[in-house]
Amino acid sequence: EASPQPRSGRSAALRARMEERLLGARFRYLNQQLYSGSSRDAARLFRADPAAFQLYHRGFERQVQRWPERPVQRIVRYLRRRPASLVVADFGCGDCTLATSVRNQVHCFDLVPLTPQVTVCDMAEVPLADESVDVAVFCLSLMATNLQEILGEANRVLKLGGTLMVAEVASRFEDIRAFLKAMAQLGFRTVSKDLSSSYFYLLEFAKTGPARAGTAHGLRLRPCLYKRR
Ligand code: SAH
């Protein structure tokens, strides 16, 4: 094989490519685990292996960089149109892009602190008082299987009439009508839905009251499994 690269350059390039592959494979494996268990399982996973979390985030960044627009930027724009006095809770904040982009007070929750602003906790149990926030945000973070419990927690901390913003991967929704109906049962009226992007849906809800008892059927989301590239 005729190659202009010297031998050592070639093996370095090969090693880099192998590492990249391995990183991709581990990201996909972690991602699959996050989507197939409860939020408590995810908390346990990352507590046991914080390095896995760093790796997950590198993989996540690489994925969303391919998108024409980052969903979190849509939520930033939304908040900038509303009073800066609104208190926000960001469930699964990642690198705190939201908190650093708006003037509002933002409570940042995630499993591992990517920045010092993060309060480490499972989003099913956040350290906030009942009815203490105006806006709750889930931006690509409704990953766990105990969705009803997680959204119930958002309902608990939201003031009556408060806003719930959900940005999720479009292909995860099996039946958007059934999903919105289930949200109504959980005490969330649909205010607006932007389904125009083929990458993600942006849903805005208002809290109408506490969740009604019983299982909210239709709340299911498909796992978001990334393809090998
Ligand atoms: N909202 C950010 C990050 C999205 S990635 C953005 O849009 O850029 C999804 C985030 O949810 C990850 O940081 C992940 O660690 C977090 N997450 C997943 N399950 C969680 C849980 N049970 N409790 C808290 N955070 C969780």
Side-chain angles (χ1 to χ4, degrees), residues 39 53 57 60 70 92-94 110-111 121-123 139-141:
S39 63
F53 182 82
H57 265 273
F60 171 78
R70 286 190 74 138
C93 58
D110 210 299
L111 294 171
C121 64
D122 175 5
M123 59 169 71
C139 187
L140 304 178
S141 59

Side-chain angles (χ1 to χ4, degrees), residues 41-62:
D41 296 331
R44 221 171 294 130
L45 173 77
F46 283 147
R47 215 176 292 132
D49 188 359
F53 182 82
Q54 302 294 334
L55 189 140
Y56 174 77
H57 265 273
R58 275 170 63 195
F60 171 78
E61 282 298 320
R62 289 197 341 178

Side-chain angles (χ1 to χ4, degrees), residues 13-130:
L14 180 66
R15 193 161 55 237
R17 219 165 45 237
M18 296 295 283
E19 274 168 11
E20 191 73 359
R21 285 247 177 101
L22 200 60
L23 187 76
R26 286 203 65 200
F27 166 71
R28 286 191 303 278
Y29 174 72
L30 282 168
N31 189 62
Q32 189 175 338
Q33 281 197 304
L34 291 177
Y35 281 111
S36 55
S38 77
S39 63
R40 260 169 286 283
D41 296 331
R44 221 171 294 130
L45 173 77
F46 283 147
R47 215 176 292 132
D49 188 359
F53 182 82
Q54 302 294 334
L55 189 140
Y56 174 77
H57 265 273
R58 275 170 63 195
F60 171 78
E61 282 298 320
R62 289 197 341 178
Q63 287 293 334
V64 289
Q65 269 165 19
R66 296 198 176 96
W67 296 14
E69 183 184 29
R70 286 190 74 138
V72 67
Q73 291 305 335
R74 290 287 298 279
I75 294 172
V76 167
R77 288 215 302 276
Y78 169 83
L79 283 175
R80 285 183 181 159
R81 288 199 307 268
R82 300 199 56 198
S85 56
L86 298 180
V87 177
V88 180
D90 189 3
F91 288 75
C93 58
D95 64 3
C96 300
T97 299
L98 190 61
T100 53
S101 308
V102 297
R103 283 165 40 226
N104 308 61
Q105 182 191 355
V106 182
H107 298 282
C108 301
F109 301 117
D110 210 299
L111 294 171
V112 176
L114 276 185
T115 83
Q117 259 168 297
V118 177
T119 298
V120 173
C121 64
D122 175 5
M123 59 169 71
E125 221 173 317
V126 297
L128 288 177
D130 294 358

